[in-house]
Amino acid sequence: MIKNFFPNKILSLNNRLIFVLIIMMIFIVIIGFIYALFISPPDYVQGDSVRIMYVHVPSSFISLGCFAFIGLASISNLIFKTKFVSLMAKSLAPVGLVFTLVSVVTGSLWGKPTWGIWWAWDARLTSMIILLCFYIAYILTWKLIDSFERANKISSFIGIIGLFNLPVIKYSVDWWSTLHQPSSITLTSAPTIHYTMLIPLFIMLFGMAIYSLIIFLMRYKTEIMKFKLNKKKNYK
Amino acid sequence: MLTKKVKSRVVFLILSIVSVSIIIFFILRSLEENVIYFFSPTEIYNKSSISPNKKIRVGGLVKEGSSTKKDNGINFIITDLKNEIIVTYSGLVPNLFSEGKGVVAEGKLRDKKYFIADKILAKHDENYMPPEVSQALDKAN
């Protein structure tokens, strides 16, 4: 499984796989949208603004997941000096950044009709903004530093430091009193979301996860090609 | 499999991760007062002193049967089921404000039992369900 992500394998990755994934993604997202917008019921308090959740929650999951991968890849890079893992992290970062932005913007759109304000500096929202800053810093180090070795090292440090932020985001709603509500889906107890609303949530999560995978695969392939080209240039 | 170099890097990383976690833990601990978004009535009650001119937020549930409309606002009681604070507010009330639900009020404390709010926010809880289910639950209770 892991072997398939090695640089030489990924270059021979069939474009047909990406094509199949795109078809799958479009199909699932359309079903998800129909379910989220028409089939699922409105909430008993929030009414129709609950439908923002079907985009907000999956994007938050994906943005946290992507950074978790970047952080772990950074650790593995500093210990084992595995270059292809940092190239994977580098290709995943823009996906995570976009979904963090989506999460923040949709959350803000939901906050106005529900709380009465667009933004509050509570622990959950602030830690999410910190995550956004880590994404930007991570991407910028790759963009601004020309030498691969140096960019690799500095971005790995940023990835590891940013890793500490993830449990803070996750548990901020339990540790402190925040305006943001506590988690509805936890590992230890039954979800407090009615199943008619859980179904579109998971369909959307699945669709958006496939979307992330597609973007990741395309970027990763490009990054590997660029890396090899640069290597060749340096030999001449 | 692990060479000496790799081993030393592992030890270095583990040590630095542990020490950074401890540092972050203590920073967040000492910043607790600033990190929390609102105080509960009990936390206000336990405070040794209150500053009546400082803007703070108080949060909890709107006590059932406590809200009375006045000409340009509302009076209600915030409770955390142990202590209560009387809140008086003038201005627009958010749509989702209702008795028995969460609320956060921003404003100034007159004393430990009386709060003048200049902004109120409805706090949503983690429960999501269709209206029919909520009605069925209400009936069952």
Side-chain angles (χ1 to χ4, degrees):
Chain A
M1 174 66 199
I2 290 178
K3 282 235 159 73
N4 286 327
F5 285 101
F6 281 170
N8 293 328
K9 286 267 173 153
I10 203 81
L11 283 184
S12 57
L13 176 81
N14 205 327
N15 275 329
R16 201 182 268 166
L17 172 68
I18 288 178
F19 183 72
V20 170
L21 282 176
I22 289 177
I23 299 289
M24 236 171 103
M25 189 264 297
I26 292 174
F27 193 65
I28 292 172
V29 167
I30 287 177
I31 293 180
F33 266 124
I34 292 173
Y35 219 114
L37 293 179
F38 302 108
I39 302 179
S40 79
D43 184 67
Y44 74 119
V45 189
Q46 305 162 50
D48 279 323
S49 62
V50 69
R51 299 182 201 281
I52 296 175
M53 171 181 78
Y54 305 128
V55 177
H56 175 74
V57 174
S59 356
S60 315
F61 279 169
I62 292 174
S63 68
L64 289 190
C66 287
F67 207 91
F69 180 86
I70 292 174
L72 296 178
S74 304
I75 291 178
S76 124
N77 172 49
L78 284 191
I79 293 176
F80 302 110
K81 307 281 176 198
T82 42
K83 284 189 186 107
F84 77 97
V85 175
S86 14
L87 285 180
M88 280 167 86
K90 184 188 174 187
S91 352
L92 201 55
V95 181
L97 175 69
V98 166
F99 278 114
T100 315
L101 270 176
V102 170
S103 162
V104 167
V105 170
T106 52
S108 183
L109 290 176
W110 179 86
K112 183 64 187 170
T114 315
W115 297 332
I117 45 169
W118 298 102
W119 188 260
W121 289 105
D122 82 337
R124 170 58 76 79
L125 279 68
T126 310
S127 55
M128 223 34 208
I129 286 296
I130 295 173
L131 178 70
L132 190 70
C133 295
F134 270 107
Y135 268 121
I136 293 172
Y138 185 86
I139 292 171
L140 278 185
T141 42
W142 279 111
K143 281 249 148 54
L144 297 180
I145 298 173
D146 288 330
S147 137
F148 177 85
E149 295 297 329
R150 269 175 48 119
N152 192 11
K153 206 164 214 176
I154 296 173
S155 67
S156 292
F157 276 114
I158 294 173
I160 293 174
I161 298 168
L163 207 52
F164 291 99
N165 189 30
L166 297 187
V168 175
I169 297 176
K170 174 82 185 68
Y171 294 108
S172 54
V173 287
D174 304 323
W175 290 343
W176 304 293
S177 50
T178 53
L179 189 57
H180 194 284
Q181 60 270 35
S183 316
S184 302
I185 304 169
T186 51
L187 289 177
T188 45
S189 54
T192 55
I193 301 179
H194 195 257
Y195 74 94
T196 48
M197 299 171 164
L198 269 183
I199 295 170
L201 184 63
F202 280 109
I203 297 177
M204 287 302 285
L205 176 61
F206 192 48
M208 287 157 85
I210 294 182
Y211 171 79
S212 318
L213 183 68
I214 295 168
I215 303 292
F216 163 71
L217 283 176
M218 287 158 97
R219 287 198 75 96
Y220 183 46
K221 214 170 162 180
T222 327
E223 289 298 337
I224 296 273
M225 283 179 195
K226 267 199 211 156
F227 183 72
K228 294 204 158 174
L229 271 178
N230 274 336
K231 230 179 178 179
K232 259 188 196 160
K233 257 188 215 157
N234 291 340
Y235 273 124
K236 274 174 191 170
Chain B
M1 187 195 133
L2 293 178
T3 61
K4 225 178 177 180
K5 245 185 168 176
V6 170
K7 253 186 200 159
S8 68
R9 288 201 287 254
V10 172
V11 171
F12 171 74
L13 260 184
I14 289 177
L15 281 181
S16 42
I17 285 176
V18 168
S19 47
V20 173
S21 328
I22 293 173
I23 293 170
I24 290 180
F25 176 78
F26 279 109
I27 291 177
L28 289 178
R29 247 297 164 76
S30 61
L31 285 179
E32 177 127 29
E33 283 265 302
N34 302 310
V35 174
I36 61 171
Y37 192 66
F38 59 84
F39 296 100
S40 70
T42 304
E43 281 163 342
I44 300 272
Y45 182 78
N46 290 336
K47 273 193 169 194
S48 51
S49 66
I50 53 163
S51 36
N53 287 320
K54 211 177 136 202
K55 219 172 222 190
I56 62 161
R57 295 188 200 93
V58 180
L61 297 171
V62 182
K63 197 182 175 188
E64 299 271 1
S66 74
S67 73
T68 47
K69 285 226 160 74
K70 50 179 188 180
D71 33 325
N72 61 344
I74 197 169
N75 293 327
F76 58 96
I77 294 174
I78 291 184
T79 173
D80 59 1
L81 307 177
K82 281 192 210 121
N83 289 286
E84 296 176 345
I85 289 182
I86 301 164
V87 178
T88 175
Y89 168 74
S90 34
L92 275 176
V93 179
N95 290 337
L96 296 192
F97 176 90
S98 69
E99 288 183 357
K101 292 281 170 201
V103 71
V104 175
E106 194 177 295
K108 286 166 184 170
L109 266 182
R110 277 287 152 259
D111 58 58
K112 282 187 176 178
K113 288 277 159 217
Y114 191 66
F115 189 78
I116 299 174
D118 46 31
K119 203 194 239 171
I120 51 178
L121 310 171
K123 184 169 164 26
H124 189 256
D125 61 15
E126 71 274 30
N127 296 306
Y128 298 78
M129 53 185 147
E132 308 87 63
V133 177
S134 140
Q135 277 163 17
L137 277 179
D138 282 346
K139 252 183 213 160
N141 287 333

